Amino acid sequence: MNQDKNPGLIPFTIDLTFEEARRRAEVVAALGPDWDPVAALRGEDEAYALLYSGLDAEQQRTYDMLVAAGVLPGEDPGHAAAH
């Protein structure tokens, strides 16, 4: 096919800002009026603490190594890994 006879691609752009705002509003609406974000975060913190509790010495060393490497989040607020 001869590219010279082709008019070329026509640029197409779309702004998804409105759709993203609508999607977020639907998520919050689906959570319902009884959703308590503070309680949800507290529950996540409790689950995280329980997940890594009761480790034996070797498991604790491995956990500490992964936290130091940024693979696993530490016990700081937010629990975000470095990578």
Side-chain angles (χ1 to χ4, degrees):
M1 178 182 257
N2 189 347
Q3 294 291 340
D4 296 337
K5 293 183 181 181
N6 236 347
L9 297 176
I10 299 172
F12 177 78
T13 59
I14 184 167
D15 183 4
L16 297 176
T17 306
F18 175 76
E19 288 302 318
E20 178 62 13
R22 185 193 61 75
R23 184 194 67 79
R24 289 181 183 194
E26 291 295 331
V27 167
V28 172
L31 291 171
D34 297 329
W35 180 62
D36 182 1
V38 174
L41 289 174
R42 189 177 314 115
E44 286 182 18
D45 286 342
E46 290 168 3
Y48 183 85
L50 183 60
L51 179 63
Y52 294 108
S53 67
L55 301 177
D56 64 27
E58 182 180 349
Q59 292 169 330
Q60 187 65 49
R61 278 192 305 276
T62 302
Y63 172 79
D64 293 339
M65 178 187 66
L66 293 172
V67 169
V71 175
L72 287 177
E75 296 182 18
D76 297 331
H79 300 299
H83 302 289

